[in-house]
Amino acid sequence: MNTHAWQSELAVGASRAGRLLALAALAFALLALAVLAFASTPLWVGLFWSGVVLMALPALYLGTRIEIDHALFLRLARIPDVSPEPLAELDAALAELNLSASSHAGRPLVARISKLLKLVRRLGWCVALQTGLALLAVWLR
């Protein structure tokens, strides 16, 4: 297996982790909605639970982006040698669907994986913030 194949496999693994983080964000939001609907909480505690719900919005957006990337990197991982041709074809397909700016065309595989890892880290921060808000709401209750 060459370097590009290993990098693609790592990207697939990172996107799978992103899937779990997105599910965690959704679970936190559902928990917060249940608490807001069925428990009587003081106003300021309700604000923390509302923050947990609101943090699910960017988390689900990031999860969607990561899921799209998952399919693309899974396909790239199956290509024996990721040369510029498959990446150019991918850029053309994304441009036709208005899913990518023309300034992103021609990026190497490493830059694409770096962007995916950045999305996963941002999603992780969303879930961490949800966790912190939920713990604070429980503690201050």
Side-chain angles (χ1 to χ4, degrees):
M1 214 197 274
N2 61 24
T3 305
H4 294 293
W6 283 112
Q7 290 171 342
S8 296
E9 289 292 334
L10 289 170
V12 169
S15 63
R16 284 187 183 131
R19 183 182 292 169
L20 293 175
L21 287 171
L23 287 173
L26 183 59
F28 266 123
L30 293 175
L31 171 69
L33 285 172
V35 168
L36 288 170
F38 299 115
S40 61
T41 59
L43 176 64
W44 47 279
V45 174
L47 290 175
F48 289 121
W49 285 116
S50 297
V52 172
V53 173
L54 290 176
M55 281 307 301
L57 297 175
L60 291 176
Y61 169 76
L62 291 169
T64 302
R65 291 272 316 269
I66 291 167
E67 192 64 30
I68 291 169
D69 286 350
H70 174 78
L72 298 176
F73 282 112
L74 195 59
R75 175 85 170 144
L76 288 173
R78 292 182 181 144
I79 298 173
D81 181 26
V82 181
S83 59
E85 290 81 27
L87 294 178
E89 291 170 2
L90 173 60
D91 287 336
L94 291 172
E96 285 179 17
L97 296 171
N98 291 326
L99 292 175
S100 180
S102 60
S103 62
H104 294 301
R107 290 182 302 155
L109 182 63
V110 173
R112 296 166 195 262
I113 294 171
S114 174
K115 181 68 174 176
L116 171 68
L117 295 175
K118 189 175 184 179
L119 291 173
V120 173
R121 278 192 295 274
R122 285 183 182 170
L123 181 55
W125 280 110
C126 287
V127 174
L129 184 58
Q130 280 184 307
T131 304
L133 288 171
L135 290 175
L136 194 60
V138 169
W139 183 61
L140 293 175
R141 188 177 121 157

